[in-house]
């Protein structure tokens, strides 16, 4: 497996090793020991996933930016098994030197890449293909009381969503989410 880090500490882009032959391909999409090694952790310190999620969305759907505050935070290991998405992680750790900065990767069924979005980050994605299936493992259970959203187009974040001529299709909660300043004022960030 190939592991790439970003200028922001925490998120990691993982490209699995594909074993291909005339029948198709095989790869390990999850291996606790390999994942711990990729994060520089002892095997026993690898994140434990409690929930798997699967979403299917049409082109132009923008989901996010979502996160969960303590006591039920979520780290997410995200992959796209059909189509392609622009996947984003925003640093919401108030003491971090990269607070409010973001990283992104195009995840697709063709590149098989996965983005690790640790707790302390908001996560969202834009569907680039006609349809996309996104699967992600979550390290914590969904908890409505801990769930928050951050405004996807906050000018302070300046995320370079590849919208081109698309108008994003948003859920009501995402369209009306607070911006970064409002999240900070409400205490809805990670200390």
């Amino acid at each position: 497996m190939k592991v790439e880090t970003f200028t922001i500490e925490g998120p990691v882009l993982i490209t699995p090793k594909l074993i291909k032959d005339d029948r198709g391909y095989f790869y390990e999409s999850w291996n606790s020991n390999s994942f711990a090694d990729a994060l520089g952790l002892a095997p026993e310190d690898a994140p434990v996933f409690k929930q798997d999620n699967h979403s299917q969305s049409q082109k132009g759907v923008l989901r996010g930016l979502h996160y969960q505050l303590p006591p039920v935070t979520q780290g997410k290991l995200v992959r796209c098994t059909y189509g392609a998405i622009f996947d984003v992680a925003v640093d919401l750790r108030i003491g971090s030197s990269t607070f409010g900065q973001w990283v992104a990767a195009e995840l697709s069924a063709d590149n098989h890449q996965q983005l690790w979005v640790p707790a302390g980050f908001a996560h969202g994605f834009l569907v680039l293909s006609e349809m996309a299936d996104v699967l992600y493992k979550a390290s914590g259970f969904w908890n409505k009381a801990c769930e928050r959203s951050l405004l996807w187009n906050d000018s302070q974040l300046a995320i370079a969503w590849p919208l081109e001529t698309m108008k994003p299709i948003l859920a009501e909660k995402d369209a009306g989410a607070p911006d970064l300043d409002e999240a900070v004022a409400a205490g809805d960030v990670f200390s």
Side-chain angles (χ1 to χ4, degrees):
M1 128 168 79
K2 179 181 171 188
V3 178
E4 298 172 61
T5 57
F6 296 94
T7 55
I8 297 175
E9 185 180 337
V12 174
L13 185 64
I14 299 169
T15 305
K17 179 181 177 185
L18 266 66
I19 300 167
K20 293 182 179 183
D21 62 22
D22 58 346
R23 300 168 297 158
Y25 65 83
F26 168 86
Y27 72 93
E28 283 185 344
S29 61
W30 167 247
N31 178 306
S32 179
N33 290 338
S34 297
F35 190 64
D37 189 50
L39 298 180
L41 303 172
E44 62 272 11
D45 295 330
V48 174
F49 293 113
K50 301 194 175 178
Q51 181 174 317
D52 276 0
N53 299 317
H54 182 155
S55 76
Q56 184 178 75
S57 306
Q58 64 184 336
K59 185 174 187 169
V61 167
L62 195 152
R63 294 185 186 269
L65 300 160
H66 303 148
Y67 60 104
Q68 283 190 189
L69 293 171
V72 188
T73 61
Q74 284 187 326
K76 298 173 183 176
L77 182 61
V78 186
R79 65 186 171 126
C80 182
T81 59
Y82 180 84
I85 62 170
F86 182 75
D87 204 43
V88 175
V90 178
D91 188 350
L92 293 182
R93 301 169 298 174
I94 197 106
S96 167
S97 64
T98 55
F99 177 75
Q101 295 179 26
W102 57 276
V103 298
E106 184 174 318
L107 307 180
S108 71
D110 293 333
N111 69 22
H112 310 284
Q113 292 180 326
Q114 299 179 66
L115 182 64
W116 166 241
V117 181
F121 286 76
H123 170 256
F125 64 86
L126 171 68
V127 177
L128 304 174
S129 53
E130 291 304 313
M131 192 69 71
D133 281 338
V134 177
L135 282 73
Y136 60 95
K137 296 182 166 308
S139 63
F141 293 112
W142 176 77
N143 184 301
K144 186 171 180 59
C146 297
E147 182 184 43
R148 300 291 186 277
S149 292
L150 188 64
L151 188 61
W152 69 277
N153 64 347
D154 181 351
S155 61
Q156 188 174 344
L157 300 176
I159 297 171
W161 297 101
L163 289 165
E164 298 163 2
T165 59
M166 284 188 285
K167 180 178 179 190
I169 303 165
L170 301 161
E172 188 176 318
K173 76 173 186 175
D174 295 338
D179 64 22
L180 185 59
D181 287 341
E182 292 169 323
V184 170
D188 288 345
V189 292
F190 297 83
S191 53

